[in-house]
């Protein structure tokens, strides 16, 4: 029997048995339509992953039951949103999209006070708000909330689920899409599933990877990468009370879920839809690369991980189609793009752009940036990058060694150089940052620090040197200008709009001091807001220029829909690209990463559409390239040229 017929029979049987029409009443029409449309794919994906499972039809039945229940619980407001988004599936491509990520308590104490900060966000132009994990999690160290003890309970210090629903509605009214974390690779060791496993319940023991001795862990470990080598060597944790080993890719209190068990898939699908029904419009798929384990492999980016993510996406298409996925794959660029498909993740962090911007700032050279992006920036036209310079995490140097070799660089050595450059081991560096997760085995480490401190503002202010301040301000604006214009959703990390420096207070907190990422998670204080509001401060210059760039983005359609062409400038210090819009005027962006003036050749200008009239959006100046010849750029200057129709 072919799988199409099998899946149809399975669906008919389930529909009849569950009597979905009766269950859902009047609302059943759109649901049943979408179920009919997406079930065959869901069936295919899961039967492929779970071909060994005995009663596969039962797995599908309980999953469909979850979908029905979730749809039944979905508020009317969100069902309307479903219809809207189905009519406009490319909504996230708009020039209006500008994102921010923040910890609730660091921006506003709790969810209720965060609601009162919506005007602040709106005024800045924010239309996408990622609230860092706000679920119930262990006291003390919870990996910044990424150890979830209950997906359905808000961390009591931040408020309640009702507060979250209330906030999501208020955000939606203000035109801001709520983004929540879907932390589905692991739970905390205090999740009720983990507690049940601990107390010997075999059903829940099967939700995790538990081993009686080291033999299997040892076999896996020969091919695993260590993610947090300073937390603990290896990827497994010994549980004294159980006399067992448990798989913990990250911290020892974060237990990896066992997706080879289909009950885990169903259980997590239910939690996912709960978050969708709380009003999330984007779910950020945390650590998605790690969800499938296979002996003899790195256990990252496995084909079955992709199938499972697609299956989760199918569930959304059926029960909450307004929601899109954002991939958090901070892995090799070849692997990052494999998650980006309309059927898998419509959005993805762009870690390569992030890493290479910092690389170009350190080296003053744009060759690797240009070379890498020229063949790696294009993705599926219905998907979108989320471009960022800093986030709550460390910076990992995830460029391709082949790309580096083509530029005459040894990837390994170059990473060591970048780590030194950004963590104080390089004479003359402008950056102030901290190292993270040093691995004694291979010398690897990552970098922490706020955008402003890594870009030189901390040193410049300490030195009281105005010319250094000017340079760091220029560097910071150069970074923002690229993130805002290169194509995709720009994502700011809260505090970066105020050019906040490193926050060293974590070093005095026992629950945080071992995790240097806290240095780049500052509390948004009245002082920081005041400094950015006071004319003449570097923070004010950065804030004002950033606001101007955001307004320009929102006023020009070419920043939204359209394609990006990376341009070879023939100058090792310049980075340039063109944004081509199907209907509106085009945009040409040129950035100078050098601390010296640079010249861009007239021929290159012409190749990016700059042969006649244009307006430079930042200065508002009109230019006629026909008569100007080549273009001069000041140190760290960037220009946004919108071509004028002839
Ligand atoms: C994510 O990041 C989160 O962003 C981190 O804040 C969490 O600690 C972690 O997952 C666990 O939930 O190791 O240093 O691509 O780089 O997924 C960041 C692999 C991380 C990892 C990434 C992970």
């Amino acid at each position: 029997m072919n799988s199409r017929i099998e899946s149809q029979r399975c669906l008919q049987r389930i529909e009849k048995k569950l009597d979905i029409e009766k269950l859902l009443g009047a609302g059943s029409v759109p649901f049943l339509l979408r179920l009919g449309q997406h079930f065959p794919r869901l069936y295919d994906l899961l039967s492929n992953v779970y071909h060994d499972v005995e009663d596969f039809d039962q797995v599908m039945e309980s999953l469909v039951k979850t979908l029905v229940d979730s749809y039944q619980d979905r508020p009317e407001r969100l069902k309307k949103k479903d219809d809207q988004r189905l009519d406009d599936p490319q909504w996230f491509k708009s020039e209006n999209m500008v994102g921010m990520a923040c910890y609730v308590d660091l921006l506003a104490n709790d969810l209720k006070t965060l609601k009162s900060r919506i005007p602040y966000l709106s005024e800045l132009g924010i239309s996408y708000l990622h609230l860092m994990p706000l679920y119930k999690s262990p006291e003390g160290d919870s990996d910044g909330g990424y150890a979830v003890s209950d997906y359905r309970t808000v961390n009591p210090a931040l408020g309640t689920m009702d507060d979250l629903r209330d906030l999501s509605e208020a955000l939606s009214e203000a035109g801001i899409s709520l983004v929540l974390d879907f932390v589905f690779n692991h739970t905390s060791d205090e999740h009720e599933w983990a507690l049940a496993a601990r107390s010997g319940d075999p059903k829940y023991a099967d939700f995790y990877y538990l081993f009686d001795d080291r033999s299997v862990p040892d076999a896996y470990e020969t091919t695993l990468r260590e993610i947090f080598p300073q937390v603990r060597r290896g990827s497994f944790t010994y549980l004294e009370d159980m006399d067992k080993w448990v798989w913990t890719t990250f911290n020892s209190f974060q237990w990896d879920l066992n997706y080879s068990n289909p009950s885990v898939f169903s259980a997590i699908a239910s939690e996912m839809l709960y978050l969708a029904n709380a009003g999330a419009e984007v779910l950020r798929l945390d650590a998605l690369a790690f969800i499938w384990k296979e002996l003899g492999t790195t256990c990252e980016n496995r084909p079955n991980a992709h199938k499972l993510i697609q299956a989760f996406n199918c569930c959304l298409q059926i029960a909450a189609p307004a929601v899109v996925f954002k991939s958090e794959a901070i892995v090799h660029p070849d692997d990052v793009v494999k998650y980006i498909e309309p059927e898998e993740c419509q959005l993805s962090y762009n870690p390569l752009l992030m890493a290479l911007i910092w690389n170009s700032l350190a080296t003053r050279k744009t060759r690797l940036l240009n070379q890498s992006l020229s063949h790696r920036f294009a993705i599926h036209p219905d998907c979108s990058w989320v471009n960022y310079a800093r986030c709550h995490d460390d910076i990992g140097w995830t460029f391709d060694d082949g790309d580096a070799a083509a530029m005459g660089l040894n990837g390994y050595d170059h990473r060591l150089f970048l780590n030194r450059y950004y963590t104080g081991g390089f004479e003359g560096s402008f950056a102030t940052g901290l190292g993270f997760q040093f691995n004694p085995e291979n010398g690897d480490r990552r970098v922490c620090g706020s955008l402003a401190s890594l870009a030189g503002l901390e040193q410049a202010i300490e030195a009281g040197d105005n010319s250094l301040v000017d340079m760091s301000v220029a560097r910071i604006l150069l970074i923002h200008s690229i993130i805002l214009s290169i194509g995709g959703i720009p994502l700011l990390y809260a505090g970066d709009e105020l050019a906040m420096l490193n926050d060293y207070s974590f070093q005095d907190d026992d629950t945080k001091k071992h995790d240097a990422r806290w240095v780049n998670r500052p509390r948004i204080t009245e002082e920081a807001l005041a400094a950015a509001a006071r004319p003449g401060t570097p923070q004010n210059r950065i804030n004002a220029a950033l606001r101007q760039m955001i307004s320009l983005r929102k006023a020009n359609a070419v920043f939204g829909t359209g394609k990006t062409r990376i341009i070879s400038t023939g100058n090792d210090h310049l980075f340039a690209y063109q944004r081509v819009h199907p209907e509106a005027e085009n945009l040409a962006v040129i950035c100078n990463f050098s601390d010296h003036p640079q010249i861009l050749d007239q021929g290159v200008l012409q190749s990016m559409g700059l042969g006649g009239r244009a307006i430079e959006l930042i200065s508002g100046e009109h230019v006629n390239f026909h008569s100007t010849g080549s273009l001069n750029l000041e140190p760290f200057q960037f220009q946004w040229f919108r071509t004028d129709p002839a």
Side-chain angles (χ1 to χ4, degrees):
M1 198 165 44
N2 78 33
S3 91
R4 190 80 198 182
I5 300 176
E6 263 178 52
S7 83
Q8 261 164 13
R9 283 201 186 148
C10 175
L11 180 58
Q12 277 166 4
R13 197 187 54 75
I14 294 173
E15 280 181 349
K16 219 168 131 192
K17 180 153 177 219
L18 298 181
D19 204 354
I20 299 177
E21 227 177 305
K22 197 166 147 214
L23 263 176
L24 292 178
S28 69
V29 178
F31 180 87
L32 285 172
L33 258 172
R34 296 200 297 257
L35 183 64
Q37 191 187 345
H38 298 287
F39 185 86
R41 210 175 120 70
L42 183 60
Y43 184 95
D44 258 15
L45 290 162
L46 292 178
S47 61
N48 215 294
V49 175
Y50 298 121
H51 52 83
D52 288 342
V53 171
E54 230 165 74
D55 196 356
F56 181 69
D57 273 22
Q58 189 51 48
V59 170
M60 293 310 287
E61 184 187 315
S62 83
L63 183 58
V64 172
K65 180 78 174 69
T66 299
L67 299 180
V68 174
D69 291 346
S70 303
Y71 185 71
Q72 214 165 12
D73 291 345
R74 191 157 173 80
E76 277 312 310
R77 169 178 89 79
L78 297 175
K79 288 184 179 167
K80 282 207 189 96
K81 189 71 123 194
D82 289 337
D83 295 336
Q84 264 173 31
R85 296 305 198 209
L86 286 169
D87 283 343
D88 179 21
Q90 300 287 291
W91 61 275
F92 50 76
K93 295 225 150 188
S94 160
E95 65 277 13
N96 193 39
M97 295 303 290
V98 176
M100 176 176 274
C102 71
Y103 278 97
V104 174
D105 57 334
L106 297 180
L107 184 73
N109 287 326
D110 60 18
L111 289 167
K112 280 211 172 80
T113 40
L114 185 63
K115 191 173 160 190
S116 68
R117 302 297 304 277
I118 292 178
Y120 171 79
L121 299 169
S122 292
E123 202 226 329
L124 187 61
I126 301 303
S127 55
Y128 164 119
L129 184 66
H130 172 206
L131 300 181
M132 302 299 299
L134 40 73
Y135 317 106
K136 189 177 167 208
S137 56
E139 291 282 321
D141 188 2
S142 64
D143 189 20
Y146 282 101
V148 178
S149 303
D150 184 352
Y151 299 92
R152 298 180 189 229
T153 307
V154 167
N155 172 352
L158 305 178
T160 64
M161 255 306 159
D162 280 335
D163 293 339
L164 180 61
R165 288 188 198 100
D166 188 44
L167 175 67
S168 84
E169 196 165 346
L171 286 170
S172 168
E173 274 160 23
I176 302 177
S177 295
L178 174 64
V179 185
L180 291 180
D181 276 278
F182 177 35
V183 188
F184 69 126
N185 174 68
H186 44 266
T187 72
S188 90
D189 59 356
E190 294 179 9
H191 192 284
E192 62 173 20
W193 303 335
L195 297 177
R198 264 206 145 121
S199 70
D201 183 334
K203 174 173 172 203
Y204 290 103
D206 251 7
F207 268 46
Y208 300 94
Y209 288 97
L210 291 161
F211 305 98
D212 291 336
D213 56 48
R214 283 288 318 178
S215 55
V216 180
D218 283 343
Y220 274 109
E221 259 175 8
T222 55
T223 50
L224 291 181
R225 174 167 79 108
E226 286 178 272
I227 308 300
F228 286 168
Q230 283 190 331
V231 163
R232 162 212 68 233
R233 300 312 308 273
S235 301
F236 299 85
T237 299
Y238 180 65
L239 304 170
E240 241 178 64
D241 53 338
M242 295 180 84
D243 187 27
K244 282 187 197 302
W245 292 83
V246 62
W247 198 311
T248 50
T249 299
F250 298 95
N251 288 287
S252 296
F253 52 82
Q254 289 162 301
W255 291 13
D256 287 43
L257 285 161
N258 171 13
Y259 280 96
S260 71
N261 173 1
S263 303
V264 169
F265 182 88
S266 286
I268 285 288
S270 175
E271 305 308 290
M272 172 186 82
L273 290 167
Y274 187 86
L275 300 178
N277 287 350
E281 292 183 33
V282 177
L283 289 174
R284 172 194 180 277
L285 271 58
D286 183 62
L288 80 180
F290 298 86
I291 63 168
W292 191 263
K293 330 288 192 199
E294 221 172 302
L295 196 62
T297 74
T298 57
C299 299
E300 290 183 50
N301 313 305
R302 302 309 302 157
N304 276 354
H306 290 284
K307 286 181 204 143
L308 290 173
I309 295 161
Q310 290 178 26
F312 280 125
N313 200 329
C314 262
C315 296
L316 282 183
Q317 297 304 323
I318 296 166
V323 184
V324 297
F325 275 164
K326 175 170 84 157
S327 160
E328 191 254 343
I330 316 300
V331 291
H332 188 280
D334 288 347
D335 292 313
V336 171
V337 293
K338 289 184 188 146
Y339 295 93
I340 311 173
E341 287 294 333
E343 293 79 29
E344 194 163 333
C345 295
Q346 295 92 332
L347 306 176
S348 168
Y349 278 107
N350 191 346
L352 182 65
L353 174 67
M354 182 275 292
L356 291 181
I357 286 177
W358 291 107
N359 173 58
S360 287
L361 285 171
T363 60
R364 279 78 164 166
K365 295 224 173 76
T366 53
R367 286 164 10 117
L368 186 55
L369 177 64
N370 189 286
Q371 198 268 358
S372 304
L373 293 197
S374 62
H375 68 114
R376 295 183 184 278
F377 193 80
I379 50 174
H380 191 291
D382 296 342
C383 297
S384 196
W385 286 117
V386 175
N387 297 312
Y388 66 113
R390 289 302 293 117
C391 66
H392 69 290
D393 273 337
D394 48 289
I395 299 176
W397 305 110
T398 59
F399 56 81
D400 172 60
D401 282 359
D403 288 343
M407 300 291 102
L409 295 169
N410 172 306
Y412 180 82
D413 294 345
H414 194 61
R415 285 186 188 89
L416 291 184
F417 155 74
L418 289 168
N419 284 331
R420 281 207 312 277
Y421 196 90
Y422 281 107
T423 62
F426 191 89
E427 175 98 26
S429 163
F430 51 76
T432 311
L434 299 177
F436 180 61
Q437 299 299 333
F438 178 68
N439 187 331
E441 204 111 312
N442 53 20
D444 190 30
R445 78 171 84 228
R446 280 114 73 189
V447 171
C448 296
S450 78
L451 188 147
S453 288
L454 290 176
L457 188 60
E458 186 167 331
Q459 268 190 37
I461 289 178
E462 247 164 49
D465 182 326
N466 284 336
S467 73
L468 289 183
V469 169
D470 289 348
M471 280 225 278
S472 68
V473 169
R475 255 185 233 111
I476 291 167
L477 295 179
L478 174 65
I479 298 172
H480 287 311
S481 84
I482 296 173
I483 297 300
L484 279 159
S485 67
I486 195 164
I489 302 177
L491 178 61
L492 298 166
Y493 184 72
D496 287 344
E497 82 281 18
L498 309 172
M500 289 184 74
L501 303 179
N502 285 344
D503 176 357
Y504 299 98
S505 63
F506 79 100
Q507 290 168 337
D508 306 321
D509 183 333
D510 282 338
T511 66
K512 292 184 174 148
K513 63 181 177 201
H514 56 280
D515 191 337
R517 290 175 296 175
W518 286 103
V519 82
N520 47 258
R521 299 169 183 172
R523 176 176 297 281
I524 313 299
T525 56
E526 289 303 322
E527 291 75 31
L529 290 161
R534 200 160 48 242
T537 64
Q539 291 87 346
N540 179 258
R541 283 156 64 194
I542 291 164
N543 188 265
L546 178 63
R547 283 171 189 273
Q548 189 210 4
M549 284 191 266
I550 292 175
S551 317
L552 287 170
R553 177 184 159 94
K554 294 192 165 218
N556 288 280
V558 65
F559 289 94
T561 315
K563 277 200 180 125
T564 302
R565 274 183 64 216
I566 307 290
I567 307 288
S568 279
T569 61
N571 177 322
D572 278 359
H573 308 285
L574 296 181
F575 178 52
Y577 45 90
Q578 191 185 10
R579 291 277 305 154
V580 184
H581 191 278
E583 285 135 33
E585 284 97 49
N586 295 338
L587 179 80
V589 175
I590 304 145
C591 309
N592 180 8
F593 274 85
S594 164
D595 27 23
H596 298 284
Q598 296 295 324
I599 297 175
L600 186 62
D601 184 78
Q602 190 173 23
V604 179
L605 288 167
Q606 277 170 358
S607 78
M608 54 196 304
L610 297 178
R613 285 176 210 285
I615 174 168
E616 203 285 308
L617 293 173
I618 311 272
S619 62
E621 269 171 40
H622 292 268
V623 195
N624 190 344
F625 282 97
H626 192 64
S627 48
T628 52
S630 56
L631 179 75
N632 298 321
L633 285 112
E634 295 302 314
F636 305 117
Q637 193 184 3
F638 55 89
Q639 303 219 286
W640 287 2
F641 291 106
R642 193 185 68 203
T643 50
D644 270 357

